[in-house]
Amino acid sequence: MTCSSTTNATAAAARRLLSPLAADLQARGLIHAVTSPALLTPARLSTPLTLYTGIDPTAPSPHIGNLLPLTASLRFLLHGHNVLALIGGATGSIGDPSGRATERSSLSSAVLAANEAGITTQVHRFFENGVQYATRRGYTPSAHAGKVDVVNNKHWTSKLSLIDFLDQVGRHARVSAMLARDSVASRMQSDQGISFTEFTYQLVQANDFAHLHRERGCTLQIGGSDQWGNIVAGLDLIRRTCSSSGASAGTDGDDNDNDKVFGLTLPLVTTSTGEKFGKSAGNAVWLDPAMTSPYDYFQFWMRTHDADVGTYLKMYTLLPLDHIAHVMHAHAQRPEDRSAQNVLASEMTELVHAPEALSKVKKMSGMLFAKDGKGIRDVVDREGGVGEVVAAFEGDPRLIRVRWADLGDGTAPASVAEVFAKAGACRSKSEAIKLAKKGGLYLNQDRITDAQAQKLTRADLIGGQLCLLRTGKSNYWILQVVMD
């Protein structure tokens, strides 16, 4: 037996000691750390537990960086466990120092309230879509299927006076342990330091865990690896405040296996080049379709590096591991086809935005990435005509409508330069002319060499209405010309 096969056999044997859910999480690389291995056993996960994961309302929508805790929670939900999705109305007003070199800017009450409402809507939407997506992937909800509830820590934190907080929470905290947290220690060594407000963040989050443990029977918190210190603070608070009732925190070295509470952290996701996952050209990728369109969300996943796509398929989708292995084998034969990226983008778009949005995205991609005019016409015909294609683009800023009468002077066809300017694809006709001379202007994927001399004719309108405008390598517009 080779060293590799011995290692695989050992890993397989270890997984047999885990619950099916824990074995799947481990095989997908989703377990970074756990406060006690007892959490992962069949004895612990064979009966429903209640877990929570939190999102602070620093923006009106969750972003890609929030997606891993959400999908991990969905996996627990599908195995019959209950999920509390916590919106940090209180913690969001403080700002988590974890993973940050500077303090977050304070948000006004109005902005926080709007962000809380937006995130609450999107979290509900994610789990509703997620359960439906899972059902389409063969997951059969059990008779004791888990439930999702969205809670806001502002509702209980706002009821605590400063004296109450110091008495109920601060009394049980040890400053030496707080200073040792990575999020605090790294900031203490920086020029900016850390404010008292940020320093107390871990206590406010710890109180959330303790509150949900008392009131909702919550025994597990899930978060990113940067949340380890905050999670452990919660376990410590529960241990100190609930000891009289026999409850104990599940940390290594604690042999009491009754009524434990646990923490599980997920890996920090980075690209193969070491970049932080979830940024697109410096901009966050949001789950709210009004902030990042389903098309742009799909394209974000399509741009995944070959070295990362297999990892992301395991971590983010519900596809079986053997199916993912088949996808990656096929991808390795012809990586230029980006078939694995297409599977990843399709799965993630369906999960977050539902099948209808994915269908529209596929139609949009077919139009925008057709190789030539014939290819564009083929897409229009295949999708059922101009009306279907326009419906797919409806609401997307790439769809531009102009009246035929507004193009040209009424006696002669409009120049291509004027068309691009009218559509907003170029700031002016002169810019379009210059861009054409540099080889960066395309009409129906045909390069325009003289934007002033070349005219837009009815023959250029696919289905009598549409043409595809492009500047550079990746800036597209669908122009719908309305006839009078």
Side-chain angles (χ1 to χ4, degrees), residues 94-351:
I94 297 172
D96 186 356
S98 302
R100 291 187 60 87
T102 58
E103 186 169 357
R104 291 185 185 275
S105 300
S106 178
L107 300 176
S108 69
S109 298
V111 170
L112 272 173
N115 290 353
E116 289 167 31
I119 289 180
T120 299
T121 297
Q122 294 307 315
V123 168
H124 276 297
R125 177 174 170 269
F126 171 81
F127 282 106
E128 289 170 2
N129 285 345
V131 170
Q132 294 171 10
Y133 162 81
T135 303
R136 292 190 295 272
R137 293 302 176 274
Y139 284 76
T140 303
S142 67
H144 304 287
K147 297 181 180 179
V148 178
D149 193 9
V150 180
V151 297
N152 192 323
N153 61 12
K154 182 172 65 177
H155 295 159
W156 57 84
T157 306
S158 62
K159 297 176 182 178
L160 286 174
S161 69
L162 176 60
I163 299 300
D164 291 335
F165 182 80
L166 292 175
D167 180 51
Q168 298 174 24
V169 180
R171 181 182 302 279
H172 303 285
R174 295 297 172 262
V175 173
S176 57
M178 295 176 67
L179 289 170
R181 308 286 187 223
D182 288 342
S183 59
V184 173
S186 61
R187 288 286 294 278
M188 291 284 287
Q189 296 170 7
S190 68
D191 292 337
Q192 187 186 48
I194 186 169
S195 69
F196 178 75
T197 300
E198 285 187 304
F199 181 61
T200 60
Y201 182 95
Q202 58 184 290
L203 297 184
V204 180
Q205 183 169 321
N207 185 56
D208 292 338
F209 201 173
H211 173 88
L212 294 175
H213 180 59
R214 289 191 307 269
E215 302 297 326
R216 304 294 295 268
C218 180
T219 56
L220 172 63
Q221 181 181 355
I222 291 179
S225 59
D226 61 346
Q227 292 298 304
W228 179 261
N230 294 335
I231 292 173
V232 171
L235 298 178
D236 187 58
L237 180 61
I238 292 170
R239 177 177 61 81
R240 293 175 182 274
T241 59
C242 299
S243 58
S244 60
S245 63
S248 62
T251 54
D252 290 331
D254 181 0
D255 294 329
N256 182 358
D257 207 36
N258 298 316
D259 196 23
K260 284 186 177 179
V261 289
F262 302 89
L264 185 152
T265 57
L266 307 166
L268 176 64
V269 183
T270 59
T271 67
S272 57
T273 59
E275 297 173 353
K276 187 176 181 180
F277 178 75
K279 298 291 185 179
S280 178
N283 299 313
V285 178
W286 306 100
L287 304 193
D288 186 343
M291 297 177 68
T292 297
S293 72
Y295 174 83
D296 289 325
Y297 180 83
F298 181 91
Q299 292 302 323
F300 167 81
W301 293 102
M302 281 297 297
R303 290 191 292 271
T304 301
H305 295 300
D306 286 342
D308 297 321
V309 66
T311 298
Y312 295 170
L313 281 166
K314 291 178 182 179
M315 297 177 79
Y316 288 100
T317 77
L318 295 182
L319 294 175
L321 292 172
D322 56 351
H323 182 77
I324 292 173
H326 175 75
V327 168
M328 293 308 299
H329 176 75
H331 176 78
Q333 308 306 308
R334 290 182 57 86
E336 66 274 13
D337 291 344
R338 304 186 71 74
S339 58
Q341 283 88 344
N342 194 288
V343 171
L344 175 64
S346 297
E347 292 295 310
M348 297 313 299
T349 302
E350 183 175 342
L351 167 62

Side-chain angles (χ1 to χ4, degrees), residues 410-461:
T411 60
S415 69
V416 170
E418 181 182 349
V419 171
F420 273 75
K422 284 275 188 182
C426 292
R427 287 173 293 184
S428 63
K429 290 193 292 183
S430 61
E431 182 182 71
I433 293 168
K434 292 177 182 177
L435 192 57
K437 290 179 179 179
K438 295 178 181 178
L441 204 70
Y442 298 82
L443 175 64
N444 291 336
Q445 298 294 38
D446 292 329
R447 180 177 291 177
I448 301 298
T449 57
D450 190 335
Q452 182 61 35
Q454 292 178 258
K455 309 297 182 181
L456 178 73
T457 68
R458 291 177 184 268
D460 295 314
L461 301 180

Side-chain angles (χ1 to χ4, degrees), residues 386-429:
V386 169
E388 289 294 319
V389 172
V390 170
F393 279 90
E394 200 66 60
D396 191 277
R398 297 172 187 82
L399 177 63
I400 306 297
R401 290 187 174 94
V402 297
R403 296 172 61 245
W404 178 258
D406 292 335
L407 296 174
D409 59 8
T411 60
S415 69
V416 170
E418 181 182 349
V419 171
F420 273 75
K422 284 275 188 182
C426 292
R427 287 173 293 184
S428 63
K429 290 193 292 183

